[in-house]
Amino acid sequence: MQSTPILQFGTSRFLQAHADLFISQAMQDGQEVGPITVVQSSGDPRRAARLAALVGSYTVRVEGLIKGKRVQEALDVTSVARTLSTSTDWDEVARVFVEEAKIVLSNTGDTGFAPQRCDSDPSFNQAMSYPAKLTHLLRLRFAINSAPIQIMPMELIVDNGQVLKTRVIELAQNDGLEFQAYLERDVTWVNSLVDRIVSQPLEPAGAVAEPYALWAIEDQPKLVLPCEHPCVQIVPSLADIEALKLFVLNLGHTFLADRWLRNKCANDVLVRHLVDDPDEVAQLKHVLQNEVRSAFVAAGLTDQFDAYVVTTIERFANPFLDHLIVDIAQNHLQKVERRIAAVLTWAVSKGDHTDKPILSSIVTHYKERV
């Protein structure tokens, strides 16, 4: 079996159409990167066939708009050399982690980082959270060869690398000082932000994705890129990109969902239906240009904002993407707080004190209901 310097925890269709695709394209271009061992960390036996189908080749269909032109292409992904499951192949997962891995990727879903009661157990338990499983693997690597390693979480958590490091160090608080020093000195914990809408799975493996994709990686000493790719960017800080994603794309979704909720429209309405409606898209553009833009101007991000708005509207209008507004409207109160109320606070922190009547009224409306 070929050695795999990249070990990936998570089998989601997002990873199949994002990191796995980028690394595959880099390998096809002659870069000395990959291949990948993919590990299913959930242990779900129902996904065994899909897990096995990742090895060799699978297809990612890219469908959407680029500068107004329709794009439809099928890409072969050939970066996955081996698949394992923590529930049935733990010893082999540990061997690959200790002997082969140089970079560890993860995208373990909304609950992957959530602490579990068994996280502090002295022996491996399948019910452990991903940080606890990672801690066990790091102990094994330290004990056998103490080789440096780079950990690159891709979960949608702000400062995801630092959050994961903090949790692992917490779990290792009763370990020896030498192991704790290893975690600080020889493990590189990388913050990153990922973005791509992956709308549906293909069978037995693969996915359908929009053309837009981003893997923003925060620079730091000893950083090693998993591959060079047009969608992979090294940035000095993720803060600006996080603000654009949260206060343009995410806020735009929540603004449209808020109008949909108040108008009590049908449940089969798609985001692209709203963007195709002249009144709805005019309202969205108005709030972005007249209430959100001033905050980005104050932050010195005018050009980035203007370009990102154009890209966002085009992504919303993707004619191949069936993105239900009812799905976006889930947990709406929390999203209003995190996206709309938060942009009001962020604007003031950047020195923008202009009136934002529409956004303010949305926040007030839900505060009165709490």
Side-chain angles (χ1 to χ4, degrees):
M1 170 64 71
Q2 185 178 9
S3 180
T4 55
I6 299 178
L7 183 61
Q8 172 184 301
F9 290 87
T11 63
S12 68
R13 64 177 185 257
F14 173 82
L15 286 170
Q16 293 170 43
H18 192 273
D20 299 343
L21 171 60
F22 301 163
I23 292 165
S24 175
Q25 291 174 320
M27 292 171 64
Q28 292 161 15
D29 287 342
Q31 294 181 37
E32 294 184 3
V33 297
I36 305 167
T37 287
V38 170
V39 179
Q40 181 195 51
S41 56
S42 68
D44 186 350
R46 295 171 297 180
R47 294 176 60 86
R50 186 168 180 80
L51 181 66
L54 295 174
V55 176
S57 178
Y58 65 84
T59 300
V60 170
R61 291 204 331 249
V62 176
E63 301 178 343
L65 300 173
I66 299 179
K67 295 183 178 179
K69 294 184 179 180
R70 291 192 173 203
V71 173
Q72 287 182 283
E73 58 181 340
L75 305 173
D76 292 328
V77 179
T78 58
S79 55
V80 180
R82 181 197 291 119
T83 57
L84 302 168
S85 171
T86 55
S87 66
T88 57
D89 308 304
W90 178 251
D91 288 344
E92 181 65 1
V93 171
R95 187 198 67 78
V96 174
F97 187 93
V98 170
E99 297 180 5
E100 299 182 13
K102 297 179 180 178
I103 295 175
V104 176
L105 309 178
S106 69
N107 193 317
T108 56
D110 294 337
T111 60
F113 277 27
Q116 304 298 320
R117 291 184 177 181
C118 59
D119 278 357
S120 297
D121 287 359
S123 300
F124 167 75
N125 186 325
Q126 172 57 29
M128 288 174 166
S129 67
Y130 169 63
K133 292 172 183 173
L134 179 62
T135 305
H136 276 277
L137 292 169
L138 286 165
R139 288 187 183 115
L140 291 171
R141 188 177 178 101
F142 170 73
I144 293 172
N145 61 27
S146 298
I149 193 167
Q150 180 167 290
I151 309 295
M152 300 185 68
M154 301 169 68
E155 287 82 358
L156 294 176
I157 298 170
V158 175
D159 294 332
N160 45 20
Q162 186 59 46
V163 169
L164 182 55
K165 175 184 179 180
T166 299
R167 179 58 179 153
V168 169
I169 288 176
E170 180 181 280
L171 289 166
Q173 61 184 334
N174 294 323
D175 287 74
L177 293 178
E178 290 184 1
F179 177 61
Q180 295 178 30
Y182 169 75
L183 296 177
E184 292 281 359
R185 181 188 63 244
D186 294 321
V187 181
T188 303
W189 306 87
V190 181
N191 294 325
S192 69
L193 181 148
V194 297
D195 189 9
R196 178 169 235 176
I197 297 172
V198 182
S199 58
Q200 66 186 81
L202 298 177
E203 298 299 338
V208 180
E210 65 171 339
Y212 179 90
L214 174 66
W215 190 358
I217 300 171
E218 195 167 76
D219 199 10
Q220 63 167 292
K222 300 191 291 185
L223 175 70
V224 177
L225 286 182
C227 67
E228 293 183 3
H229 190 277
C231 296
V232 178
Q233 299 180 19
I234 302 177
V235 297
S237 170
L238 291 173
D240 293 347
I241 295 173
E242 287 168 345
L244 285 165
K245 184 173 186 291
L246 184 61
F247 299 141
V248 178
L249 185 137
N250 296 146
L251 179 145
H253 272 150
T254 296
F255 177 75
L256 290 173
D258 189 71
R259 289 179 58 80
W260 173 82
L261 285 167
R262 297 199 199 200
N263 292 330
K264 298 180 180 178
C265 299
N267 284 348
D268 61 352
V269 174
L270 304 174
V271 172
R272 58 182 165 87
H273 293 155
L274 296 176
V275 177
D276 287 340
D277 184 310
D279 182 56
E280 292 298 326
V281 75
Q283 292 294 329
L284 174 61
K285 289 180 177 178
H286 174 84
V287 80
L288 289 173
Q289 293 298 325
N290 293 281
E291 300 199 12
V292 178
R293 187 175 187 270
S294 56
F296 284 90
V297 171
L301 297 171
T302 308
D303 292 344
Q304 294 92 322
F305 174 85
D306 290 341
Y308 193 73
V309 167
V310 173
T311 299
T312 297
I313 300 287
E314 186 168 70
R315 293 174 71 187
F316 286 0
N318 187 338
F320 304 102
L321 181 60
D322 293 340
H323 202 174
L324 286 165
I325 198 71
V326 67
D327 291 340
I328 294 170
Q330 293 179 12
N331 303 311
H332 187 62
L333 289 176
Q334 294 92 322
K335 290 176 180 177
V336 167
E337 180 65 29
R338 294 171 186 169
R339 301 171 179 184
I340 298 179
V343 80
L344 300 177
T345 302
W346 184 76
V348 172
S349 75
K350 297 300 178 183
D352 172 27
H353 299 278
T354 60
D355 290 338
K356 306 185 189 306
I358 297 174
L359 296 177
S360 297
S361 69
I362 293 172
V363 174
T364 300
H365 174 77
Y366 290 102
K367 280 185 176 179
E368 291 174 348
R369 295 177 57 184
V370 175

